[in-house]
């Protein structure tokens, strides 16, 4: 296949970014609508958690399957299927008669969403073969998250106030349909040179691990530890099963050899911590602004701009820094800013003053803006391009798992602290342990960013690439393919 022209490459990037936009804006819009949903559907705190986590949980469980399937049967085909399912799921969500139906339809959305982001990243990786050009493209990709964070709360606030919370799902329809038609016309089909076999047992173990762990965390405050203990046991058994079973397969769902690369392992843990911070931050902020301060959905959306705008501005800058100087500096900036933001809320009750609240939001936006590009670039760099879909899917899985755990853990801590009291009287004190958890997540990003991006770490990545090289592919070619 001839190398696509620069114009065609940029068009492919734009189409892939459209898929990221609808997947990421869906969460930011939904967060602004949570209080309205809570009143309309008579939902508890755990019910609100499930409207978010049912989506991110299914995403996290199926992303690796979607990545390997796309490598096997064709990335364009899987990408288009994902667009259809996601758009159809959005329509169903807008028609949900109750909370249970909404959660189920969110899972339909997530099945489609699992076929979008990792496959789109794999398409980008195989379209932009020059490492520097690819890093800049990933920076643009990361900026789309900033766009969704800026546009989502405002669009969500306007829609919730003028039409109602159901209208937030309508935003996905024109974007999804446009992306589908453009993909059909302009995105070339690609697949891995050698097909990977399905791993049904590994997939079942992943679903059991993520599902049981999330259920145990979310339901523990209401049901009690004794009631959720069996689910915790299932999670432990599923994890042990994965560690024992996957290395024995020639083509596992999760190739544990990836984790012999310190940069890849670091990027995975950093993704979990960073997106756990994002999920927890948005969850706490939305409930505080509307249920404690009494702001409307629109005014709450405007208050999210000090976080969203720095994310939008810093993401492309982070991509350029990664391309020119490597991932270390962006990760240090990200970790430092996110740690400072969390500490401001945890130690100084930033919610209680407009100035400190504004500063806390700005710091978090700067940190999150810098963190995405180095995660993505490090995850796919050093890996053979033939396995780009799986490597990108592991990184995307880490993001969604982090966001799932962030909402589950922070929501459980908040629910336990609030108890039967109202939000307005107890929220700040009840949220403080959650802010300390987010501070620890930011500190983990800072430390791992320093430790897993140096010369020693790059050496482990080179050795991992040689082990992962497909038969007939030399180590030099594998390293060159990964950048």
């Amino acid at each position: 296949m001839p190398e696509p022209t620069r114009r065609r490459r940029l068009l492919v990037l734009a189409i892939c970014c459209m898929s990221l936009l609808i997947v990421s804006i869906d969460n930011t819009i939904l967060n602004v609508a949570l209080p309205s949903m809570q009143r309309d559907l008579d939902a508890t705190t755990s019910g609100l958690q499930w409207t978010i986590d049912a989506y991110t949980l299914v995403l996290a469980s199926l992303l690796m399957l979607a990545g390997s399937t796309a490598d096997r049967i064709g990335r364009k085909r899987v990408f288009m299927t994902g667009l259809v399912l996601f758009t159809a799921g959005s329509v169903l969500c807008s028609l949900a008669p109750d909370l249970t139906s909404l959660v189920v339809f969110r899972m339909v959305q997530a099945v489609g969403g699992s076929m979008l982001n990792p496959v789109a990243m794999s398409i980008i990786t195989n379209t932009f073969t020059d490492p520097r050009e690819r890093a800049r493209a990933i920076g643009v990709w990361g900026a789309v998250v900033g766009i969704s964070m800026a546009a989502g709360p405002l669009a969500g606030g306007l829609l919730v106030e003028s039409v109602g919370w159901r209208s937030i799902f309508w935003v996905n329809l024109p974007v999804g349909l446009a992306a589908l038609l453009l993909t059909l016309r302009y995105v070339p089909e690609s697949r891995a040179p050698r097909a990977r076999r399905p791993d049904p047992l590994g997939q079942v173990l992943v679903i059991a691990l993520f599902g049981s762990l999330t259920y145990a965390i979310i339901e523990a405050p209401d049901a009690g530890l004794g009631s959720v203990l069996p689910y915790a046991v299932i999670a432990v058994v599923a994890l042990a099963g994965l560690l024992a079973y996957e290395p024995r397969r020639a083509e596992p769902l999760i190739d544990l050899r990836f984790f012999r690369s310190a940069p890849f392992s670091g990027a995975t843990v950093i993704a979990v911590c960073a997106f756990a911070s994002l999920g927890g931050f948005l969850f706490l902020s939305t409930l505080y602004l509307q249920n404690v301060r009494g702001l409307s959905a629109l005014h709450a959306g405007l208050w999210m701009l000090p976080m969203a705008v720095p994310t939008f501005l810093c993401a492309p800058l982070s991509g350029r820094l990664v391309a020119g100087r490597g991932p270390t500096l962006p990760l240090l900036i990200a970790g430092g800013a996110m740690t400072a933001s969390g500490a401001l809320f945890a130690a100084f009750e930033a919610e209680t003053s407009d100035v400190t609240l504004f500063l806390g939001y700005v710091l978090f936006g700067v940190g999150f803006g810098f963190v995405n590009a180095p995660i993505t670039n490090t995850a796919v760099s050093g890996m053979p391009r033939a396995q780009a879909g799986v490597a990108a899917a592991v990184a995307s899985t880490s993001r969604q798992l982090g966001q799932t755990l962030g909402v589950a853990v922070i929501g459980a801590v908040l629910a336990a602290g609030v108890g039967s009291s109202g939000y307005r009287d107890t929220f700040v004190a009840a949220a403080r342990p959650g802010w300390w958890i987010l501070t620890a997540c930011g500190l983990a990003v800072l430390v791992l960013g320093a430790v897993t991006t140096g010369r020693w770490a790059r050496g482990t990545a080179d050795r991992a690439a040689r082990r992962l090289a497909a038969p007939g592919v030399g180590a030099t070619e594998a390293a060159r393919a990964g950048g």
Side-chain angles (χ1 to χ4, degrees), residues 417-426:
V418 171
S420 59
S421 305
Y423 278 120
R424 191 178 299 273
D425 298 327
T426 60

Side-chain angles (χ1 to χ4, degrees), residues 450-465:
V451 172
T452 62
T453 56
R455 179 178 301 177
W456 164 80
R458 289 193 296 271
T460 66
D462 292 339
R463 291 191 292 273

Side-chain angles (χ1 to χ4, degrees), residues 249-333:
R249 284 186 56 86
E251 295 176 326
L253 177 70
I254 307 173
D255 195 331
L256 299 182
R257 293 178 298 171
F258 283 1
F259 295 95
R260 294 178 180 177
S261 164
F264 182 87
S265 297
T268 301
V269 179
I270 287 170
V272 171
C273 293
F275 279 77
S277 293
L278 176 66
F281 193 98
L282 291 175
F283 192 80
L284 289 176
S285 296
T286 299
L287 292 179
Y288 171 76
L289 291 172
Q290 295 190 54
N291 287 351
V292 179
R293 286 206 168 193
L295 300 181
S296 65
L298 176 58
H299 285 115
L302 289 171
W303 256 108
M304 302 300 286
L305 284 178
M307 178 186 67
V309 172
T311 298
F312 170 66
L313 295 176
C314 293
L317 175 59
S318 177
R320 289 193 292 270
L321 284 175
V322 171
R325 302 183 58 179
T328 305
L329 181 58
L331 287 175
L332 294 180
I333 295 173

Side-chain angles (χ1 to χ4, degrees), residues 12-399:
V12 170
L13 174 62
I15 296 168
C16 290
C17 285
M18 290 173 71
S19 73
L20 175 63
L21 180 64
I22 58 175
V23 172
S24 57
I25 203 173
D26 196 68
N27 272 335
T28 55
I29 284 184
L30 182 67
N31 271 276
V32 173
L34 285 179
S36 297
M37 289 181 178
Q38 187 176 32
R39 291 188 295 270
D40 192 21
L41 301 177
D42 194 26
T44 62
T45 299
S46 63
L48 295 180
Q49 289 172 269
W50 279 118
T51 62
I52 298 174
D53 274 358
Y55 177 83
T56 54
L57 179 60
V58 172
L59 273 180
S61 299
L62 298 182
L63 282 170
M64 286 178 287
L65 174 64
S68 59
T69 301
D71 282 348
R72 182 170 63 252
I73 70 174
R75 295 167 182 130
K76 178 179 179 179
R77 180 183 302 177
V78 172
F79 188 69
M80 291 180 65
T81 302
L83 286 169
V84 171
L85 282 174
F86 188 88
T87 305
S90 299
V91 174
L92 291 173
C93 287
S94 70
L95 302 174
D98 51 45
L99 182 65
T100 301
S101 300
L102 178 61
V103 170
V104 171
F105 296 151
R106 288 278 289 165
M107 295 172 74
V108 174
Q109 265 191 312
V111 173
S114 70
M115 302 178 189
L116 296 180
N117 286 3
V119 180
M121 180 51 60
S122 183
I123 291 171
I124 291 173
T125 302
N126 282 271
T127 301
F128 292 87
T129 55
D130 177 73
R132 289 180 178 272
E133 191 177 26
R134 183 177 65 222
R136 287 191 291 269
I138 291 173
V140 173
W141 170 269
V144 173
V145 177
I147 294 174
S148 71
M149 292 180 69
L154 284 177
L158 285 170
L159 289 171
V160 169
E161 286 199 7
S162 60
V163 184
W165 65 263
R166 297 179 186 277
S167 62
I168 64 174
F169 297 104
W170 301 345
V171 177
N172 301 326
L173 305 187
V175 180
L177 290 174
L180 181 64
L181 295 175
L182 290 170
T183 301
L184 183 65
R185 174 67 178 85
Y186 293 108
V187 174
E189 183 61 280
S190 64
R191 55 177 56 86
R194 189 171 63 89
R196 292 168 56 84
R197 296 178 181 177
D199 182 7
L201 179 56
Q203 183 61 60
V204 170
L205 289 172
V206 167
I207 293 174
L209 171 60
F210 292 171
S212 57
L213 179 62
T214 304
Y215 183 89
I217 294 172
I218 289 179
E219 297 299 329
D222 294 330
L225 294 177
S227 298
V228 301
L229 183 60
Y231 296 95
V233 172
I234 292 173
V236 173
V237 171
L239 176 60
L242 281 170
L243 295 177
Y245 172 73
E246 291 296 285
R248 299 182 181 182
R249 284 186 56 86
E251 295 176 326
L253 177 70
I254 307 173
D255 195 331
L256 299 182
R257 293 178 298 171
F258 283 1
F259 295 95
R260 294 178 180 177
S261 164
F264 182 87
S265 297
T268 301
V269 179
I270 287 170
V272 171
C273 293
F275 279 77
S277 293
L278 176 66
F281 193 98
L282 291 175
F283 192 80
L284 289 176
S285 296
T286 299
L287 292 179
Y288 171 76
L289 291 172
Q290 295 190 54
N291 287 351
V292 179
R293 286 206 168 193
L295 300 181
S296 65
L298 176 58
H299 285 115
L302 289 171
W303 256 108
M304 302 300 286
L305 284 178
M307 178 186 67
V309 172
T311 298
F312 170 66
L313 295 176
C314 293
L317 175 59
S318 177
R320 289 193 292 270
L321 284 175
V322 171
R325 302 183 58 179
T328 305
L329 181 58
L331 287 175
L332 294 180
I333 295 173
M338 293 172 74
T339 302
S341 174
L344 198 60
F345 286 93
F348 301 103
E349 297 184 353
E351 306 102 316
T352 57
S353 165
D354 286 349
V355 174
T356 53
L357 184 64
F358 180 88
L359 180 59
Y361 282 2
V362 169
L363 285 170
F364 189 88
V366 170
F368 192 76
F370 272 98
V371 81
N372 214 25
I375 289 173
T376 305
N377 189 74
T378 305
V380 299
S381 295
M383 299 296 170
R385 277 170 55 193
Q387 300 190 51
V390 180
V394 172
S396 295
T397 298
S398 303
R399 291 182 175 89

Side-chain angles (χ1 to χ4, degrees), residues 193-194 251 257 384 386-387 466-474 477:
R194 189 171 63 89
E251 295 176 326
R257 293 178 298 171
Q387 300 190 51
R466 288 194 291 268
R467 295 189 185 98
L468 287 164
V473 179
E477 182 180 343

